[in-house]
Amino acid sequence: MSRSWIGLLISLLYCTTLAAETGPHNLEDFLKTDQFRQIELSPDGAHYALTIPHEDRTLLRIVKRADMATTMGLDPGTNRHVVDLVWANDERLLFGVEEKIGLLDRPLSTGEIFATNADGSHQELLFGVRAEGTKIGSRIDKGKQEYGSAWVLDELPSDDRKVLVSVWPWARKAEPYSQVEEMDIYTGRRNRVVRAPVQRAQFLTDRAGQVRFAFGAGVDNNQQTWYRADNDADWEQLNDQSKTRRRMWPLGFSADEQTAYLRIEEDTGPDAIYAFDVASGERTLALQGDFADPYLYLRSPGGRTLVGATYLEGLPVMRYFDRKSADAILYRTLAMSFPGQIIRIASATRDGNTTLLHVYSDRNPGDFYLFDVAQKKAEFLVPAQKWIDPRRTAEMQPIKLQARDGLALHGYLTVPPGSEGKNLPLVLLPHGGPFYVADSWGYDNEVQLLAAHGYAVLQVNFRGSSLYGRAHAAAGLRQWGKAMQDDLTDATRWAIEQGIADPARICIYGHSYGGYAALMGAAKEPDLYQCAAGYVGVYDLPLLYREGDIQERRADRNLLEHNLGKDDLEAYSPARLAGQIKSPVFLAAGGKDERAPVAHTEAMERALKSAGVAVESLIYPNEGHGFYVEANKREFYTRLLAFFDKHIGAAAAGAD
């Protein structure tokens, strides 16, 4: 057949409209994975590369753009997933693999780089740990064994034969010094370009492919940022966090490369973007949000020039270094074409005339479009989840409130579709992390599931969360169970005062640190919540210093002590405070979880039973830090919804 099933599917999706159904979506809709995880347009615009996820594998397909006929397909095998697609030239595609290792259900990156031509020829293992003769898929069987991980750093558009890769050696006892190597995309042969001047470094190149910035940190976790004028120059240190008490990230260059852009933490307020004159070294303020850090960076088609940034100041706002530049005008045109949505240029042709757009919002899980820059015309390609109708999903509303000590808190409220937003059963959903993580505006399957089931969902970026500047994050240091928890309490009471939440029907639920906050909330405010649920949570703080993958690396141990401290841990451990909890509890965990070992959940369950608190538990022996197997996720959410329904939902309301 000249047209494969995947080509036919994409063709049909060009003209398929969403089913005109009414009412909320169901659980099955929210459990399905995206029909396409990544789509990349080749530099000449002749092909698409696509990854197609299934539960036990993710397939790779390359199709012709002209007629959607498949030119190559790769099935990596059971428990293997193709990731990280990069076109190195018009015909050659590089990609990585995630693999299920041992008994763990969730796949992990192997750090390998594979390659194939668009027609399926010359499939090679270019970098990786597999010994020669080990196969991936049906044909790739070549490679020299490498003990490290590598990622494509720069496609080097002017060189059809080579790319730059960032290589991290594997080291157990020491933090690695990464390096940049030039790699032949057909043979895998490599030559070292530069070694990082700091451990655990990432790199940034300029338009010519020269490595200009390195930024990383040693075991003390103090970030360093280094710069050099070109590949022949020595490294010069621009910033050392141990001295300046702030971090600096290089972001990209201007079109003329006379300016580099640096994101720098400020003492107060949000992070700012500075223009760094590469000739003089002078820095001038270029962009800064009203209260939020940059969220996404806007780049020219092809990604070689930094244009500006998207900020989540409630709803997304795009800001530009030069509003009159051609690239800024392009983004402004796109913003008018897709109002109320976040726009990302996923890939583009070499000449920049055709771009592949990824567009999404709080109600839309995402659509892909082709955009003709010259004609300013967008052509719908495919939705990420064709079964989700944005007209039937819930709106995520930005909120702002004040904590008891006056700190401004931002977050989001999602109410059931069609609801007036008053006197609702409410789920407070604290995020995980808790540091370097934040709740953000956009589509969230779990939030939409809860809203579709009739619950208002409240998310608040308590102190310690990212996205609101250095001072907001630092305010959460060593505040587990203290001010961080008070912020969640204040947000709950705010929802009651606003008439949003029925004070007799409120539950607190979260993952990881959010699970800790849920159980700590039930212990600290026993009369505020009618139920609590923790998913892969940590409940015994002293146990964090004895078990789990945090203990494997000195840098992680140092970070834990910096963020959590070692004082009074028992006093702020839910597993030691079960006697204060009045509300019923639901716990879920994975037996192979290395971040929050199942011992936390087992200790919490024992303590609750000993205290006479009603508790349900669900433990999957082979799952890790979050459930991966679809059947397991289905059972978890079925039981979680039944738990909410019993204690704050329709069943609870009916009992009154």
Side-chain angles (χ1 to χ4, degrees):
M1 295 179 64
S2 62
R3 295 172 66 86
S4 70
W5 66 269
I6 184 63
L8 178 60
L9 175 60
I10 297 177
S11 298
L12 289 173
L13 285 169
Y14 269 97
C15 56
T16 298
T17 57
L18 295 166
E21 298 179 17
T22 59
H25 289 280
N26 58 37
L27 173 60
E28 293 302 317
D29 290 333
F30 297 115
L31 289 179
K32 295 177 184 177
T33 58
D34 292 354
Q35 47 191 350
F36 302 104
R37 186 149 291 155
Q38 187 177 1
I39 305 177
E40 293 291 324
L41 183 63
S42 64
D44 61 359
H47 293 89
Y48 297 112
L50 316 99
T51 57
I52 306 164
H54 297 270
E55 183 177 13
D56 68 340
R57 69 195 68 196
T58 298
L59 310 178
L60 169 64
R61 292 287 185 271
I62 298 178
V63 300
K64 290 182 179 178
R65 179 179 160 202
D67 59 7
M68 297 301 166
T70 295
T71 61
M72 77 81 60
L74 183 126
D75 181 343
T78 305
N79 298 322
R80 290 172 175 166
H81 301 263
V82 176
V83 295
D84 300 334
L85 306 183
V86 176
W87 285 101
N89 60 33
D90 292 342
E91 69 165 1
R92 193 84 167 144
L93 181 77
L94 308 186
F95 60 95
V97 166
E98 292 179 345
E99 184 169 348
K100 180 179 177 294
I101 299 171
L103 295 176
L104 190 66
D105 282 322
R106 182 180 294 275
L108 303 172
S109 173
T110 65
E112 297 167 310
I113 298 178
F114 297 89
T116 181
N117 283 356
D119 62 5
S121 63
H122 300 292
Q123 296 184 6
E124 308 283 351
L125 169 60
L126 300 179
F127 180 99
V129 72
R130 296 173 204 271
E132 187 170 347
T134 302
K135 292 181 179 290
I136 178 78
S138 59
R139 299 174 63 184
I140 298 178
D141 63 353
K142 190 176 182 180
K144 176 184 176 182
Q145 196 166 30
E146 307 269 5
Y147 290 95
S149 297
W151 298 269
V152 177
L153 172 66
D154 194 311
E155 301 94 324
L156 299 179
S158 62
D159 190 333
D160 281 346
R161 185 88 196 187
K162 295 176 181 177
V163 297
L164 296 182
V165 295
S166 177
V167 179
W168 284 46
W170 289 345
R172 278 188 170 273
K173 296 184 179 180
E175 298 301 324
Y177 281 89
S178 53
Q179 60 189 35
V180 177
E181 298 178 357
E182 186 181 68
M183 183 175 72
D184 188 299
I185 61 174
Y186 293 94
T187 68
R189 293 190 184 94
R190 307 193 313 274
N191 296 307
R192 191 171 83 175
V193 175
V194 67
R195 185 173 185 263
V198 60
Q199 293 163 297
R200 291 186 286 159
Q202 300 177 59
F203 302 93
L204 181 71
T205 59
D206 61 19
R207 294 171 62 89
Q210 297 194 94
V211 183
R212 302 286 293 277
F213 287 93
F215 55 106
V219 295
D220 63 359
N221 295 303
N222 283 310
Q223 190 207 61
Q224 297 177 25
T225 304
W226 296 74
Y227 169 76
R228 63 182 192 165
D230 53 45
N231 279 351
D232 297 323
D234 293 331
W235 288 111
E236 301 176 14
Q237 190 176 81
L238 289 186
N239 185 65
D240 183 345
Q241 186 185 358
S242 67
K243 299 174 181 177
T244 65
R245 314 312 304 169
R246 64 184 68 190
R247 292 178 295 172
M248 172 192 293
W249 299 269
L251 304 177
F253 287 87
S254 61
D256 62 8
E257 296 198 319
Q258 299 304 303
T259 302
Y261 295 101
L262 307 172
R263 173 174 167 177
I264 303 177
E265 292 180 326
E266 303 283 46
D267 290 335
T268 60
D271 297 356
I273 298 177
Y274 283 82
F276 171 64
D277 187 304
V278 297
S280 68
E282 182 181 357
R283 301 177 202 167
T284 55
L285 181 63
L287 285 181
Q288 188 172 28
D290 293 336
F291 60 85
D293 297 339
Y295 179 66
L296 291 174
Y297 301 109
L298 306 176
R299 301 185 186 278
S300 63
R304 310 299 290 188
T305 302
L306 193 66
V307 179
T310 296
Y311 294 80
L312 293 182
E313 295 176 347
L315 299 177
V317 176
M318 290 194 287
R319 291 192 171 93
Y320 314 97
F321 302 123
D322 178 3
R323 286 179 56 85
K324 296 180 180 179
S325 70
D327 290 328
I329 291 172
L330 169 61
Y331 273 104
R332 289 159 60 193
T333 300
L334 293 174
M336 290 187 289
S337 301
F338 301 101
Q341 303 206 65
I342 289 179
I343 301 161
R344 184 178 68 89
I345 295 179
S347 59
T349 53
R350 185 182 296 104
D351 59 14
N353 289 334
T354 304
T355 64
L356 181 67
L357 305 179
H358 179 218
V359 178
Y360 67 94
S361 71
D362 55 338
R363 305 182 67 173
N364 176 17
D367 295 315
F368 290 93
Y369 290 82
L370 277 179
F371 186 78
D372 186 305
V373 174
Q375 297 185 28
K376 295 182 173 56
K377 180 181 178 182
E379 180 182 5
F380 177 71
L381 180 60
V382 64
Q385 299 182 24
K386 66 176 181 178
W387 49 88
I388 295 293
D389 183 348
R391 296 168 297 184
R392 297 161 55 205
T393 55
E395 180 184 358
M396 180 180 277
Q397 306 167 23
I399 63 164
K400 180 180 178 181
L401 61 122
Q402 197 171 64
R404 63 190 66 182
D405 63 356
L407 182 69
L409 300 176
H410 299 270
Y412 298 93
L413 173 69
T414 305
V415 301
S419 167
E420 295 182 356
K422 296 296 181 182
N423 201 37
L424 295 169
L426 182 138
V427 176
L428 176 64
L429 187 62
H431 64 69
F435 302 99
Y436 315 115
V437 178
D439 288 315
S440 57
W441 186 88
Y443 186 85
D444 186 304
N445 266 324
E446 186 175 62
V447 171
Q448 291 293 338
L449 169 62
L450 294 172
H453 207 70
Y455 298 105
V457 182
L458 179 61
Q459 299 168 278
V460 60
N461 285 314
F462 46 84
R463 67 194 68 204
S465 305
S466 61
L467 282 187
Y468 301 97
R470 174 177 175 269
H472 184 85
L477 292 175
R478 306 194 176 192
Q479 292 298 311
W480 289 46
K482 303 173 188 176
M484 293 167 73
Q485 197 69 43
D486 291 340
D487 289 347
L488 294 170
T489 301
D490 294 345
T492 305
R493 290 179 174 153
W494 171 87
I496 295 171
E497 293 167 0
Q498 298 296 312
I500 298 163
D502 178 349
R505 293 192 293 162
I506 302 175
C507 187
I508 182 170
Y509 154 65
H511 317 166
S512 195
Y513 172 84
Y516 164 85
L519 272 294
M520 194 65 203
K524 195 169 183 179
E525 304 289 343
D527 297 319
L528 188 59
Y529 304 107
Q530 283 69 57
C531 61
Y535 175 34
V536 296
V538 292
Y539 309 115
D540 189 334
L541 298 186
L543 193 61
L544 279 174
Y545 285 95
R546 301 196 303 272
E547 294 190 21
D549 61 359
I550 290 175
Q551 301 308 312
E552 295 177 1
R553 297 173 62 245
R554 183 180 168 191
D556 287 345
R557 296 195 301 271
N558 289 342
L559 188 63
L560 177 66
E561 185 169 352
H562 176 72
N563 291 339
L564 176 61
K566 288 190 173 181
D567 298 330
D568 302 322
L569 297 185
E570 293 85 355
Y572 296 96
S573 294
R576 314 292 180 98
L577 304 173
Q580 299 175 202
I581 296 176
K582 298 179 182 179
S583 58
V585 172
F586 176 60
L587 300 172
K592 298 297 180 182
D593 191 341
E594 296 183 357
R595 178 50 48 98
V598 70
H600 284 275
T601 296
E602 293 170 341
M604 191 74 242
E605 184 181 25
R606 286 194 303 270
L608 290 167
K609 288 181 176 178
S610 179
V613 178
V615 57
E616 303 176 35
S617 63
L618 178 64
I619 298 175
Y620 291 110
N622 292 337
E623 290 280 16
H625 196 57
F627 298 159
Y628 173 76
V629 175
E630 187 173 310
N632 295 347
K633 290 191 289 186
R634 181 179 294 106
E635 182 182 7
F636 166 64
Y637 281 113
T638 298
R639 289 188 56 177
L640 181 68
L641 291 172
F643 177 77
F644 289 154
D645 189 55
K646 178 179 178 181
H647 298 293
I648 64 170
D656 295 338

